Amino acid sequence: MDFPQKVIIVTEAIPYGKVLNYGRLAELLDKPHAARAVGYALSGLPYGTSVPWHRVVGKHGVYGRITIHGSKQSADEQLARLKDEGVAFDGHRQFLLIDYLWETTPIEIAALLAAARHGE
DNA sequence: CTACTGACTGATC
DNA sequence: TGATCAGCCAGTA
Protein backbone atom coordinates (compact mmCIF):
# COMPACT_ATOMS: atom_id res chain seq x y z
CA MET A 1 0.00 0.00 0.00
CA ASP A 2 1.38 3.42 -0.95
CA PHE A 3 2.16 6.08 1.56
CA PRO A 4 -0.39 8.54 0.08
CA GLN A 5 -3.10 5.93 0.29
CA LYS A 6 -2.36 5.33 3.96
CA VAL A 7 -2.53 9.06 4.57
CA ILE A 8 -5.99 9.21 3.02
CA ILE A 9 -7.28 6.24 5.01
CA VAL A 10 -6.12 7.72 8.29
CA THR A 11 -7.60 11.08 7.36
CA GLU A 12 -10.97 9.46 6.69
CA ALA A 13 -10.85 7.96 10.18
CA ILE A 14 -10.44 11.26 12.01
CA PRO A 15 -13.61 11.76 14.13
CA TYR A 16 -15.91 14.76 13.69
CA GLY A 17 -14.67 17.70 15.69
CA LYS A 18 -11.17 16.26 16.02
CA VAL A 19 -8.00 17.17 14.16
CA LEU A 20 -4.54 15.83 13.43
CA ASN A 21 -1.45 17.78 12.44
CA TYR A 22 0.72 16.61 9.55
CA GLY A 23 3.60 15.59 11.77
CA ARG A 24 1.41 13.52 14.08
CA LEU A 25 -0.23 11.79 11.15
CA ALA A 26 3.20 10.91 9.81
CA GLU A 27 4.14 9.61 13.25
CA LEU A 28 1.11 7.34 13.27
CA LEU A 29 2.31 5.91 9.97
CA ASP A 30 5.64 5.13 11.61
CA LYS A 31 7.48 7.92 9.76
CA PRO A 32 8.00 10.70 12.33
CA HIS A 33 9.60 13.09 9.87
CA ALA A 34 7.36 12.66 6.86
CA ALA A 35 5.08 15.60 7.59
CA ARG A 36 5.77 17.21 4.24
CA ALA A 37 5.03 13.98 2.45
CA VAL A 38 1.66 13.88 4.22
CA GLY A 39 0.87 17.34 2.91
CA TYR A 40 1.92 16.28 -0.55
CA ALA A 41 -0.43 13.29 -0.39
CA LEU A 42 -3.40 15.43 0.64
CA SER A 43 -2.69 17.95 -2.09
CA GLY A 44 -3.63 15.27 -4.58
CA LEU A 45 -7.25 15.11 -3.44
CA PRO A 46 -9.86 16.26 -5.97
CA TYR A 47 -11.97 19.31 -5.17
CA GLY A 48 -15.29 17.84 -4.12
CA THR A 49 -13.85 14.86 -2.23
CA SER A 50 -15.68 13.29 0.69
CA VAL A 51 -12.39 12.89 2.55
CA PRO A 52 -12.36 15.22 5.59
CA TRP A 53 -9.02 16.80 4.65
CA HIS A 54 -9.91 19.90 6.65
CA ARG A 55 -9.23 17.95 9.84
CA VAL A 56 -5.53 17.83 9.05
CA VAL A 57 -3.82 21.03 10.13
CA GLY A 58 -0.38 22.49 10.60
CA LYS A 59 1.24 22.74 14.01
CA HIS A 60 2.82 25.85 15.40
CA GLY A 61 3.99 25.26 18.97
CA VAL A 62 0.90 24.47 21.04
CA TYR A 63 -1.36 25.87 18.36
CA GLY A 64 -2.97 24.32 15.35
CA ARG A 65 -3.14 26.44 12.22
CA ILE A 66 -4.37 26.39 8.67
CA THR A 67 -1.20 26.07 6.63
CA ILE A 68 -2.62 25.63 3.16
CA HIS A 69 -1.15 27.98 0.62
CA GLY A 70 -2.31 26.30 -2.55
CA SER A 71 -5.26 28.66 -2.86
CA LYS A 72 -6.77 31.10 -0.38
CA GLN A 73 -10.18 29.70 -1.10
CA SER A 74 -9.19 26.29 0.22
CA ALA A 75 -7.80 27.87 3.36
CA ASP A 76 -11.04 29.73 3.96
CA GLU A 77 -13.04 26.60 3.36
CA GLN A 78 -10.94 24.64 5.84
CA LEU A 79 -11.36 27.37 8.44
CA ALA A 80 -15.11 27.44 7.94
CA ARG A 81 -15.48 23.68 8.16
CA LEU A 82 -13.44 23.46 11.35
CA LYS A 83 -15.45 26.22 12.99
CA ASP A 84 -18.55 24.38 11.91
CA GLU A 85 -17.31 21.33 13.79
CA GLY A 86 -16.89 23.29 16.96
CA VAL A 87 -13.24 24.29 16.84
CA ALA A 88 -12.81 27.57 18.72
CA PHE A 89 -10.30 29.76 16.94
CA ASP A 90 -8.21 32.10 19.02
CA GLY A 91 -7.76 35.40 17.32
CA HIS A 92 -9.17 34.06 14.04
CA ARG A 93 -6.31 32.00 12.73
CA GLN A 94 -5.19 29.51 15.35
CA PHE A 95 -6.60 27.26 18.07
CA LEU A 96 -5.28 25.18 20.94
CA LEU A 97 -4.28 21.93 19.30
CA ILE A 98 -4.45 19.89 22.51
CA ASP A 99 -8.16 20.63 22.85
CA TYR A 100 -9.04 18.97 19.55
CA LEU A 101 -6.20 16.61 18.76
CA TRP A 102 -7.41 13.13 17.94
CA GLU A 103 -5.88 10.81 20.51
CA THR A 104 -5.05 7.53 18.86
CA THR A 105 -2.08 5.20 18.66
CA PRO A 106 0.09 3.74 15.93
CA ILE A 107 -1.34 0.38 16.98
CA GLU A 108 -4.89 1.42 16.21
CA ILE A 109 -3.78 2.91 12.93
CA ALA A 110 -1.99 -0.28 11.99
CA ALA A 111 -5.19 -2.22 12.63
CA LEU A 112 -7.14 0.31 10.61
CA LEU A 113 -4.82 -0.06 7.65
CA ALA A 114 -4.89 -3.83 7.91
CA ALA A 115 -8.70 -3.76 7.79
CA ALA A 116 -8.61 -1.45 4.80
CA ARG A 117 -6.30 -3.80 2.95
CA HIS A 118 -8.77 -6.64 3.43
CA GLY A 119 -11.61 -4.45 2.31
CA GLU A 120 -9.98 -3.93 -1.04
C1' DC B 1 21.28 8.34 -9.37
C1' DT B 2 20.78 13.62 -8.87
C1' DA B 3 17.83 17.73 -8.50
C1' DC B 4 13.81 20.07 -7.31
C1' DT B 5 9.26 20.79 -5.17
C1' DG B 6 5.70 20.97 -1.56
C1' DA B 7 -1.25 21.65 2.30
C1' DC B 8 5.63 20.47 7.45
C1' DT B 9 8.34 21.74 11.78
C1' DG B 10 11.11 23.61 15.21
C1' DA B 11 14.57 26.96 15.97
C1' DT B 12 16.37 31.62 15.30
C1' DC B 13 16.16 36.46 14.59
C1' DT C 1 3.58 38.45 15.35
C1' DG C 2 6.14 37.47 11.42
C1' DA C 3 9.89 36.02 8.26
C1' DT C 4 13.82 32.86 7.35
C1' DC C 5 16.49 28.63 7.52
C1' DA C 6 17.64 24.14 7.56
C1' DG C 7 16.36 19.26 8.08
C1' DC C 8 12.89 15.76 6.37
C1' DC C 9 10.18 12.53 3.27
C1' DA C 10 7.88 11.00 -1.06
C1' DG C 11 6.98 11.92 -5.89
C1' DT C 12 8.44 13.34 -10.36
C1' DA C 13 11.56 14.52 -14.19
Side-chain angles (χ1 to χ4, degrees):
Chain A
M1 180 178 277
D2 308 37
F3 183 75
Q5 199 172 348
K6 292 182 182 176
V7 171
I8 302 305
I9 290 176
V10 174
T11 302
E12 290 181 312
I14 303 176
Y16 180 95
K18 292 292 181 181
V19 304
L20 222 48
N21 61 300
Y22 300 92
R24 178 56 182 159
L25 204 161
E27 238 179 83
L28 294 173
L29 291 179
D30 206 34
K31 294 181 187 253
H33 302 293
R36 302 193 66 158
V38 170
Y40 181 82
L42 292 181
S43 71
L45 289 171
Y47 178 67
T49 182
S50 59
V51 179
W53 52 270
H54 58 282
R55 294 180 189 146
V56 182
V57 302
K59 177 188 172 185
H60 215 80
V62 299
Y63 293 107
R65 284 185 183 177
I66 305 299
T67 57
I68 289 181
H69 52 268
S71 77
K72 184 180 180 302
Q73 197 150 32
S74 298
D76 287 340
E77 185 181 340
Q78 180 168 26
L79 178 68
R81 289 203 194 188
L82 288 176
K83 280 186 175 177
D84 200 51
E85 296 192 1
V87 177
F89 279 78
D90 162 35
H92 202 50
R93 53 170 47 191
Q94 60 182 29
F95 60 92
L96 282 175
L97 195 55
I98 194 170
D99 287 341
Y100 308 95
L101 193 60
W102 179 32
E103 291 176 35
T104 185
T105 65
I107 309 298
E108 290 181 52
I109 297 304
L112 179 68
L113 294 176
R117 273 200 295 281
H118 286 277
E120 294 173 35

